[in-house]
């Protein structure tokens, strides 16, 4: 390589790094825009509502229909719901739908800690609304889809299973949202498939919640938090371990693709439509 080619290559590398930093700064600036925050929070409420409606609804409808919902169907429905939610509105808020996921993205550095409390509250609200709707339609049946350790299973056994399951789930989420392996919307299939597979083999043990928000709604409406610590400690600890696994496999952070996966692309979607003049040729 000639002496002239070396500076040129260095200049190109600096240009690429500058472009990444500029893109990150633009994304961060727009994500911090409070005028857009309510859309993201609404997205988390709606997404978690749909997830819990499918997850808790399986147990409720099974009780109402005298066992017409098989275990395979009950664990498949939430996975397919997450797949659909990520595909149709992941670009708005990142479609976390899970406090453990929000915390993992923040620890990884892809998501501002300032936004974590709002996201978690939105997820808990969405879960509660779903269970209230189920109770209003069907009454207090099927324990309103509450997740509890199975017969003969201790809380400690259940918390360890939730820990392992969530570590795998969040590893899947972080792994498909990294600079080296950015799958974009296709990552929804991997996340949905993992949720289904985890439920197929472990739902009799712990209910395969992997999500403190999923378990919160039924427990709140039933006002029974006797086992809730299992679904709080297990998933959050598993999410933190998943961040460590991601660091070992791929290094620090997930690059710009990890930031976009965690924060969505609302800053790109909204201005394109909002800034369009009503009388312009493009709008006609």
């Amino acid at each position: 390589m000639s002496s002239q080619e070396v500076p040129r290559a260095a200049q190109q590398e600096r240009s690429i790094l500058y472009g990444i930093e500029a893109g990150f700064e633009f994304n961060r600036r727009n994500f911090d825009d409070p005028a857009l925050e309510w859309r993201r929070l609404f997205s988390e409420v709606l997404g978690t509502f749909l997830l819990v409606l499918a997850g808790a609804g399986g147990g409720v409808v099974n009780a109402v229909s005298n066992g017409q919902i098989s275990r395979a169907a009950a664990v498949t429905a939430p996975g397919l719901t997450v797949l659909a939610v990520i595909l149709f509105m992941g670009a708005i808020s990142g479609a976390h739908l899970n406090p453990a996921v929000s915390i993992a993205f923040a620890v990884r550095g892809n998501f501002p800690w300032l936004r974590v409390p709002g996201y978690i509250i939105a997820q808990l609200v969405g879960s509660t609304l779903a269970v209230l709707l189920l109770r209003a339609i069907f009454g207090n049946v099927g324990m309103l889809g509450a997740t509890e350790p199975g017969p003969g299973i201790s809380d400690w056994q259940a918390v360890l299973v939730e820990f392992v399951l969530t570590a795998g789930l969040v590893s899947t989420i972080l792994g498909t949202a990294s600079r080296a392996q950015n799958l974009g919307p296709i990552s929804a299939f991997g996340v949905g498939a993992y949720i289904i597979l985890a439920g197929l083999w472990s739902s009799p043990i712990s209910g395969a919640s992997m999500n403190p928000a999923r378990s919160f709604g039924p427990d709140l409406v039933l006002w029974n938090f006797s086992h809730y610590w299992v679904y709080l400690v297990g998933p959050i600890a598993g999410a933190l371990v998943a961040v460590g696994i991601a660091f070992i496999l791929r290094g620090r952070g997930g690059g710009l693709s990890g930031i976009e996966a965690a924060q969505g692309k609302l800053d790109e979607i909204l201005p394109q439509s909002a800034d369009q003049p009503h009388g312009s040729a493009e709008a006609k």
Side-chain angles (χ1 to χ4, degrees):
M1 182 179 291
S2 67
S3 59
Q4 293 179 344
E5 290 175 341
V6 173
R8 187 180 299 114
Q11 185 177 5
Q12 290 176 346
E13 183 178 353
R14 283 196 299 270
S15 298
I16 293 172
L17 291 174
Y18 176 78
I20 292 174
E21 291 175 0
F24 172 77
E25 178 62 21
F26 174 80
N27 190 291
R28 186 197 66 78
R29 220 171 33 243
N30 282 271
F31 187 78
D32 288 343
D33 183 358
L36 303 179
E37 185 67 5
W38 71 271
R39 297 179 187 272
R40 296 187 176 95
L41 295 179
F42 176 76
S43 175
E44 287 297 305
V45 171
L46 177 60
T48 311
F49 172 87
L50 295 175
L51 167 60
V52 177
L53 192 66
V60 171
V61 174
N62 185 62
V64 171
S65 63
N66 297 317
Q68 293 298 306
I69 304 296
S70 67
R71 185 170 71 88
V75 301
T76 298
L80 294 179
T81 301
V82 169
L83 188 157
V85 168
I86 293 174
L87 288 177
F88 99 83
M89 65 181 189
I92 306 301
S93 66
H96 297 190
L97 318 181
N98 185 337
V101 173
S102 298
I103 291 172
F105 273 132
V107 172
R108 195 192 195 194
N110 297 150
F111 191 77
W113 277 106
L114 183 65
R115 296 292 186 257
V116 172
Y119 266 50
I120 291 177
I121 292 172
Q123 292 153 6
L124 299 180
V125 169
S127 174
T128 304
L129 290 176
V131 178
L132 287 173
L133 178 62
L134 290 171
R135 188 180 69 171
I137 296 173
F138 302 108
N140 282 328
V141 297
M143 295 182 61
L144 294 178
T147 52
E148 290 193 342
I153 304 299
S154 69
D155 282 0
W156 282 106
Q157 288 174 309
V159 79
L160 289 174
V161 170
E162 287 293 312
F163 166 78
V164 173
L165 293 178
T166 310
L169 172 62
V170 177
S171 292
T172 301
I173 294 170
L174 298 180
T176 54
S178 66
R179 66 170 69 88
Q181 197 171 339
N182 179 27
L183 300 182
I186 300 177
S187 65
F189 291 92
V191 175
Y194 182 91
I195 292 172
I196 294 170
L197 290 172
L200 286 174
W201 77 265
S202 66
S203 61
I205 304 299
S206 66
S209 172
M210 300 173 280
N211 185 341
R214 156 67 181 93
S215 299
F216 177 81
D219 285 355
L220 177 65
V221 176
L222 292 171
W223 201 249
N224 180 4
F225 290 94
S226 57
H227 299 285
Y228 184 67
W229 76 272
V230 169
Y231 304 98
L232 184 65
V233 174
I236 291 178
L240 295 177
V241 167
V243 175
I245 292 172
F247 176 80
I248 293 171
L249 294 177
R250 298 175 179 84
R252 183 179 178 84
L256 185 58
S257 59
I259 294 169
E260 290 179 344
Q263 301 182 8
K265 298 181 180 181
L266 184 58
D267 56 293
E268 298 177 13
I269 298 171
L270 206 58
Q272 292 178 1
S273 58
D275 295 343
Q276 195 71 260
H278 292 292
S280 66
E282 292 83 0
K284 293 181 179 178

